[in-house]
Amino acid sequence: MDPLRLIRDYTISGVIGRSTYDDTYIHLDDQHSLLRKSTTNYAAKMGRGFLAVEAIWFLAKCNVANPAQAHAAYMRDALAAKVAQISLIDRKELLDYLTGRVETSANVDVNVPAFTVPDDADVDAQAAAVGEKRRREDGVDVEENGAGAGARLASVRGGGGASEHLKV
């Protein structure tokens, strides 16, 4: 599903405030995670291109936590969290769209993909790293299961162990 729509749905329902993030992903809940650096199809004004998922998510989360927050305070919070910021010019229209005050926005470009992955993202490696981290946090011993991240990732994709993909 398109990240902009997911963020909007979570904002309207009021559960965006429970979402979390790490270096690679924004975790809306147990079932939905979004790449932080990917771009959405929401066009920024002033020729800045399309807005990043993390910037839209952080604005929505801040707005749910404190709807009366001044833009300067939001910018300070975003800088402290090391998250991309939304300009003051884009803020009102984007919040109106995210909170459901308006159904559509002229800034949502339906002629481009709903989101794009950044060029420098090695999605497979990031997914494996996040999966390993989550398993460690949940107390699952990787060695005890007898399968590393490569084998599990290959099995999810329908292949066998990771060694099948190595060229010698």
Side-chain angles (χ1 to χ4, degrees):
M1 182 179 237
D2 135 36
L4 185 60
R5 186 173 305 238
L6 271 175
I7 294 170
R8 183 175 194 261
D9 291 345
Y10 277 67
T11 303
I12 291 170
S13 66
V15 296
I16 194 86
R18 292 187 292 228
S19 58
T20 61
Y21 70 102
D22 58 32
D23 292 339
T24 309
Y25 292 96
I26 294 168
H27 307 284
L28 297 175
D29 59 20
D30 292 340
Q31 298 169 348
H32 296 100
S33 294
L34 308 170
L35 275 171
R36 282 180 62 170
K37 301 296 181 189
S38 60
T39 56
T40 64
N41 60 342
Y42 193 93
K45 296 178 181 177
M46 306 295 287
R48 283 189 23 195
F50 295 98
L51 297 179
V53 167
E54 71 175 350
I56 294 172
W57 167 78
F58 195 78
L59 178 66
K61 185 171 174 144
C62 285
N63 185 66
V64 166
N66 183 4
Q69 183 180 38
H71 190 69
Y74 153 75
M75 293 291 279
R76 191 173 38 253
D77 291 347
L79 284 170
K82 297 180 181 170
V83 173
Q85 303 90 28
I86 302 290
S87 71
L88 180 61
I89 295 168
D90 292 318
R91 180 182 169 119
K92 180 169 179 359
E93 277 186 47
L94 179 56
L95 281 175
D96 285 347
Y97 177 71
L98 291 175
T99 57
R101 286 184 217 126
V102 296
E103 275 304 307
T104 61
S105 172
N107 293 7
V108 176
D109 189 344
V110 296
N111 295 319
V112 297
F115 75 100
T116 56
V117 178
D119 293 335
D120 63 341
D122 182 4
V123 177
D124 289 338
Q126 291 173 355
V130 168
E132 289 300 316
K133 181 179 177 186
R134 288 206 166 189
R135 276 187 278 291
R136 284 193 306 271
E137 289 171 351
D138 291 339
V140 175
D141 185 6
V142 174
E143 300 301 323
E144 185 178 293
N145 291 339
R152 282 190 298 281
L153 189 57
S155 67
V156 167
R157 292 184 175 164
S163 60
E164 290 179 7
H165 302 289
L166 297 177
K167 302 247 184 206
V168 179

